[in-house]
Amino acid sequence: MKSFTTILLMFILLPFDTQAKRYWPSKTLTKWSFYMNNGVAYIRSDEFASHCRYSRGQINMDGTEFNRAQYSYALSAKARNKKLRYVVDSDQTICIITGLQEVD
């Protein structure tokens, strides 16, 4: 019973905002490149969020429908020379892109 109470108190007393948050960075990618390396698709730009290592974000090519769709979306945007907005996690330095949006 004592361990249950301790665990319950930990959940109550620990702040919930310590978790990382996904967000849309305010800066739009106007000059960006798109390439693949070792089964991972990368979007690289000097305009990436400062916490993203190597000024890039990655789309994991793990075979899920969502990641294949993101890859296709980025490829299409690059072919049409579109600007991009993206979603990343605020606490990751190897930024994994979890959303994309074209901007005119």
Side-chain angles (χ1 to χ4, degrees), residues 35-77:
Y35 63 97
M36 285 199 63
N37 188 11
N38 293 326
V40 178
Y42 293 100
I43 296 175
R44 188 193 176 310
S45 174
D46 291 333
E47 300 161 326
F48 247 93
S50 61
H51 65 88
C52 294
R53 187 178 293 169
Y54 310 119
S55 299
R56 70 182 184 193
Q58 68 185 49
I59 300 171
N60 292 328
M61 300 303 294
D62 55 5
T64 64
E65 195 67 35
F66 178 75
N67 286 333
R68 285 193 304 227
Q70 280 198 121
Y71 172 80
S72 297
Y73 191 82
L75 193 61
S76 172

Side-chain angles (χ1 to χ4, degrees), residues 25-33 42-49 55-57 77-78 81-88 97 99-104:
S26 59
K27 198 162 197 173
T28 300
L29 304 179
T30 58
K31 297 175 185 170
W32 56 279
S33 61
Y42 293 100
I43 296 175
R44 188 193 176 310
S45 174
D46 291 333
E47 300 161 326
F48 247 93
S55 299
R56 70 182 184 193
K78 187 61 182 169
N81 203 27
K82 293 286 187 174
K83 300 173 187 170
L84 277 182
R85 292 188 66 219
Y86 58 98
V87 177
V88 290
I97 296 171
L100 289 171
Q101 178 185 28
E102 290 179 357
V103 179
D104 289 325

